[in-house]
Amino acid sequence: MTPPSPPTPRNPNRRSSHTPKLRPVPTTSSASSSSPSSSIASLLPEPSPNFFPSLSELLQLVTAVVVAVAVAVGCHYAVSSIGRGPRPFCDSYSEFHDSCEPCPRNGQCYNDNLKCAPGYRKYGRSCVQDGVINAAAEKISEWVENHLCEEYAQFLCDGKGIVWVSEDKLNNDLDLVWERGSIGLDNTSYVYARERALENINTMLDTRMNDRRIKEFKCPDNLAEKYKKITCRFRQWLAKHALILTPVSALLVSCILLLLRVRRRCYLSKRAEQLYQQVCEILEERALMSNNANGGEPWLVSSRLRDHLLSPRERKDPVLWKKVQELVDEDSRVDRYPKIVKGEQKVVWEWQVEGSLSSSSKRKKPAVDNTNSGAPTSIFSFKKVR
């Protein structure tokens, strides 16, 4: 076997065309004493100023990474949610496992079938209250409240009525109401609605257990106040505040009576003065007319003068004309004396012309009026009494 030929020695002075040109290594003594790291750093090229990214470029990079991660997580969740169906329901009487979903409240589950309790209906994967039964239960609760509270309010007002009602009697009354068709449910729905109404009543009304261990219901006192009639409330309020109202009412009535009396006295005094002035004017005119050529009696019957001046309503009040008589009695210009007129004795009043200070002026005035008109000027006309 032929031995291999020895390798051809390589000429160190010969340079290949593919070998990069290197810097000449200095042959000074300082180069031989430098560290290897400095020699390596001198061999590497210096980086350019744009080699490292700026701060804005780093922020854009971080933002892009965050958006990409969020999109990836959202897509993964959407794919997993769409692809995965709902977990089955756990049986109501079995233990809970991660592979199944707990049975909803007010429902019973068996073999992944949900059945809602009476009074509830299925809505998706849960049980909600049935609106019809719930409305009927509220109607029954309202009827029970009105029935018991009206009875108790009547007992508080008149002492007649029922205070405590047993549960059996209440159920019988509700059955009668249901039989009349006032609730509008079938038998099964009515039973569920009545049970729910009784649950509401337990929290709304007062309850107790009687001697036979039967529950009884009563309307609360504060709720029964709303069912009392207005007359009952007024009577109870009077009875409660009788000690205060009695003296106050007596004082108020006394004040009212006193004010009415003062008002009447003022009215009688003012009205009597007005009538007195009219009486004086009539008597004075009558006296002046009797002295004229027409003649006539100078006196007037007081009763006829009264009926002439007073209205029919004022004639029923003898106090008014009595005050007028008192004023006439105090007047010295008027004479008062009895006289027989048509066979009856009357009291007549006569004006004293001689004692009147204004008689002279009064005499001239009627004379002028009689000349012009030919009729008496008296504002009242009286027939001559024989």
Side-chain angles (χ1 to χ4, degrees):
M1 186 173 181
T2 305
S5 60
T8 305
R10 187 175 181 180
N11 189 3
N13 296 326
R14 185 178 178 181
R15 298 179 179 175
S16 175
S17 58
H18 299 284
T19 303
K21 185 178 181 180
L22 300 177
R23 292 182 181 180
V25 179
T27 57
T28 59
S29 59
S30 60
S32 60
S33 61
S34 61
S35 62
S37 60
S38 61
S39 60
I40 294 173
S42 61
L43 294 176
L44 296 175
E46 295 181 359
S48 62
N50 299 327
F51 181 76
F52 295 101
S54 62
L55 180 61
S56 61
E57 293 176 348
L58 286 176
L59 292 176
Q60 293 178 359
L61 178 62
V62 171
T63 304
V65 171
V66 170
V67 171
V69 171
V71 171
V73 172
C75 293
H76 176 72
Y77 179 76
V79 171
S80 60
S81 300
I82 296 174
R84 182 181 59 187
R87 292 184 299 171
F89 288 117
C90 300
D91 292 343
S92 300
Y93 303 102
S94 63
E95 297 181 356
F96 172 71
H97 301 283
D98 295 337
S99 60
C100 60
E101 185 178 350
C103 189
R105 187 179 179 183
N106 301 317
Q108 294 181 356
C109 300
Y110 181 74
N111 291 334
D112 196 23
N113 292 324
L114 174 61
K115 183 179 180 181
C116 295
Y120 295 86
R121 59 185 179 85
K122 188 175 180 181
Y123 183 77
R125 296 179 63 82
S126 61
C127 293
V128 297
Q129 291 184 352
D130 192 349
V132 177
I133 296 179
N134 193 22
E138 292 180 358
K139 187 176 181 180
I140 294 173
S141 302
E142 184 179 357
W143 183 89
V144 172
E145 177 186 343
N146 295 336
H147 179 67
L148 296 184
C149 291
E150 287 177 358
E151 291 287 339
Y152 187 45
Q154 185 178 2
F155 175 80
L156 294 176
C157 292
D158 305 329
K160 301 178 182 179
I162 302 175
V163 180
W164 291 94
V165 179
S166 63
E167 187 175 4
D168 296 339
K169 185 178 184 306
L170 188 61
N171 289 331
N172 294 333
D173 294 341
L174 290 176
D175 292 341
L176 294 176
V177 174
W178 172 73
E179 290 176 359
R180 290 197 298 264
S182 302
I183 299 177
L185 293 176
D186 55 4
N187 189 14
T188 305
S189 301
Y190 161 69
V191 173
Y192 297 148
R194 187 183 64 183
E195 292 178 356
R196 187 174 300 175
L198 291 177
E199 293 177 0
N200 299 333
I201 292 171
N202 287 327
T203 59
M204 182 176 57
L205 302 179
D206 296 338
T207 59
R208 72 174 185 181
M209 302 296 292
N210 58 11
D211 299 337
R212 294 179 296 175
R213 308 303 298 172
I214 298 176
K215 184 182 291 187
E216 293 181 341
F217 300 94
K218 182 181 78 70
C219 179
D221 295 340
N222 56 351
L223 188 59
E225 292 293 331
K226 301 178 181 179
Y227 289 86
K228 290 182 180 179
K229 297 181 179 179
I230 297 178
T231 55
C232 176
R233 295 181 184 180
F234 182 71
R235 285 189 281 106
Q236 290 182 348
W237 183 83
L238 289 179
K240 183 177 180 181
H241 301 86
L243 296 177
I244 300 176
L245 292 176
T246 301
V248 172
S249 300
L251 180 61
L252 183 62
V253 171
S254 301
C255 293
I256 292 174
L257 292 177
L258 181 61
L259 291 175
L260 291 176
R261 181 173 297 181
V262 171
R263 180 176 178 273
R264 173 175 170 77
R265 183 173 298 178
C266 294
Y267 165 75
L268 291 176
S269 299
K270 185 176 180 180
R271 180 61 177 159
E273 291 178 359
Q274 293 177 356
L275 294 174
Y276 166 70
Q277 294 294 335
Q278 294 179 9
V279 168
C280 291
E281 291 177 1
I282 292 173
L283 291 177
E284 187 175 4
E285 272 191 49
R286 185 73 175 181
L288 294 175
M289 290 173 60
S290 64
N291 292 333
N292 295 336
N294 296 333
E297 299 295 341
W299 46 265
L300 288 174
V301 180
S302 62
S303 59
R304 294 182 180 179
L305 190 61
R306 177 198 62 195
D307 296 340
H308 179 76
L309 294 176
L310 297 182
S311 63
R313 183 176 60 86
E314 291 177 337
R315 295 173 194 171
K316 298 179 182 179
D317 190 3
V319 180
L320 178 59
W321 188 248
K322 186 177 180 181
K323 286 185 172 293
V324 176
Q325 288 178 342
E326 291 176 357
L327 294 175
V328 172
D329 292 341
E330 296 174 357
D331 195 345
S332 62
R333 298 171 298 177
V334 181
D335 289 341
R336 299 157 300 280
Y337 54 89
K339 188 176 181 62
I340 297 177
V341 179
K342 292 185 179 182
E344 295 181 2
Q345 187 174 2
K346 303 287 185 179
V347 177
V348 297
W349 291 346
E350 183 179 355
W351 184 265
Q352 298 296 326
V353 182
E354 292 78 6
S356 176
L357 300 178
S358 60
S359 60
S360 59
S361 60
K362 292 279 186 179
R363 291 172 186 174
K364 295 179 181 179
K365 185 176 180 181
V368 176
D369 294 339
N370 291 336
T371 305
N372 296 333
S373 59
T377 59
S378 175
I379 59 175
F380 301 97
S381 60
F382 293 93
K383 294 182 180 180
K384 183 177 179 180
V385 181
R386 297 180 180 177

